[in-house]
Amino acid sequence: MGNMLMLGFAGFMGLLKIVLMALAAFALFDAAFRREDAFRAAGKQTKVFWLVILGIALVVSYLFSILSILPAAGAVASIVYLVDVRPAVKALTGGNRGGWGRGKGRGGSSSDGPYGPYNGGR
């Protein structure tokens, strides 16, 4: 019974490690595709600073055990980027423009439908 419990705990910790690595990787790739001037305009350090911090967070979450302090610090850095820095930079660049998401360069108005402008039945 105790052996099964340890095996389940190890599996859970492995999944948690994968989730933390994915979080750090997403934050790193998102920061890499954002514009440099938006970071400075938002007052959120520089792009290079966040790339270094998030890169270290990714490497640390891969190399060290989830129970040590370094992956926890990397997770905090990734969460700070995703919750604080990313929305500020995204707001300055006009949503996904300047990023790597869908809708890049698409304008549009509130009266546009899925197949073009809606003209009200004309």
Side-chain angles (χ1 to χ4, degrees):
M1 178 73 174
N3 195 16
M4 285 178 47
L5 184 62
M6 290 303 292
L7 188 61
F9 181 71
F12 173 73
M13 296 306 276
L15 286 175
L16 190 59
K17 184 173 186 162
I18 290 170
V19 167
L20 290 181
M21 286 174 47
L23 185 73
F26 175 76
L28 178 66
F29 287 122
D30 185 75
F33 288 103
R34 298 285 170 191
R35 292 179 16 200
E36 159 63 46
D37 58 341
F39 284 87
R40 286 181 277 129
K44 303 291 182 185
Q45 294 295 329
T46 62
K47 180 177 181 174
V48 174
F49 172 83
W50 282 108
L51 289 176
V52 168
I53 294 294
L54 295 170
I56 290 171
L58 180 60
V59 169
V60 161
S61 66
Y62 175 73
L63 292 179
F64 291 96
S65 167
I66 195 74
L67 297 175
S68 70
I69 191 73
L70 293 176
V76 168
S78 299
I79 291 169
V80 165
Y81 174 80
L82 291 173
V83 172
D84 183 40
V85 178
R86 184 176 185 252
V89 171
K90 196 174 179 180
L92 288 175
T93 58
N96 283 331
R97 287 181 301 229
W100 58 280
R102 294 178 298 256
K104 198 173 186 179
R106 289 176 28 183
S109 104
S110 62
S111 65
D112 282 354
Y115 305 108
Y118 177 71
N119 294 328
R122 293 183 214 185

